[in-house]
Amino acid sequence: MDLAAQKMVAAARACLGTRFRHQGRSQAAGLDCLGLIVVAARAAGMELKDAAAYSRQPNQSDFEHYVGVNRMSRCDKIKPGRVGVFDFGAGPQHVALFTPIGIIHAYAPARKVVEHGLRAPWPQQLSHILKFSTL
């Protein structure tokens, strides 16, 4: 695992147990799934253009714009530090950071940031994998 991925995973793990908060961007106030990715990427020294004004049901074009302005691209291989995009039937609506043991994400049903193996239903819902240009 390269240094940027190590920093991202470490920063995300430091957020384990942080409460879920829609559009949240800090451990103190809470995080949502995208907020966790923002925190992790910034800890690895990446400058992100953040967009926290989105609904609970993300818009496809807003999502694609966010990916584009942050120089993320699709890739085929799961690796720590990459981002999994999950679709539960209404287009991309959840993201998680891949770790050596699975995924870490701010998960609304759990009401906090959690890490677990990549087990059902997650593999079946994986829409695609993204990587930052630095990874």
Side-chain angles (χ1 to χ4, degrees):
M1 184 168 34
D2 70 23
L3 185 58
Q6 287 176 20
K7 288 181 178 180
M8 288 183 72
V9 170
R13 284 182 169 157
C15 296
L16 285 170
T18 298
R19 76 181 180 100
F20 178 88
R21 182 173 154 250
H22 178 62
Q23 300 177 349
R25 293 297 186 271
S26 73
Q27 277 184 274
L31 295 164
D32 68 3
C33 62
L34 188 55
L36 180 67
I37 302 301
V38 169
V39 166
R42 288 184 174 159
M46 295 179 215
E47 293 293 326
L48 295 184
K49 292 178 176 86
D50 194 10
Y54 49 83
S55 72
R56 285 191 176 269
Q57 295 300 317
N59 176 298
Q60 177 73 28
S61 62
D62 288 346
F63 182 81
E64 293 300 328
H65 175 75
Y66 186 85
V67 166
V69 299
N70 284 299
R71 299 180 317 275
M72 298 174 81
S73 60
R74 288 185 185 218
C75 59
D76 295 329
K77 189 170 182 184
I78 292 173
K79 287 177 134 182
R82 291 186 175 171
V83 177
V85 180
F86 297 88
D87 181 342
F88 291 92
Q93 53 191 288
H94 188 68
V95 292
L97 185 70
F98 289 108
T99 71
I101 68 163
I103 58 174
I104 185 168
H105 55 128
Y107 190 42
R111 298 174 32 184
K112 63 184 176 182
V113 175
V114 297
E115 182 176 19
H116 53 77
L118 191 59
R119 61 182 187 278
W122 300 100
Q124 296 84 0
Q125 307 306 324
L126 182 61
S127 170
H128 54 280
I129 302 161
L130 295 171
K131 66 178 180 175
F132 290 97
S133 60
T134 59
L135 296 177

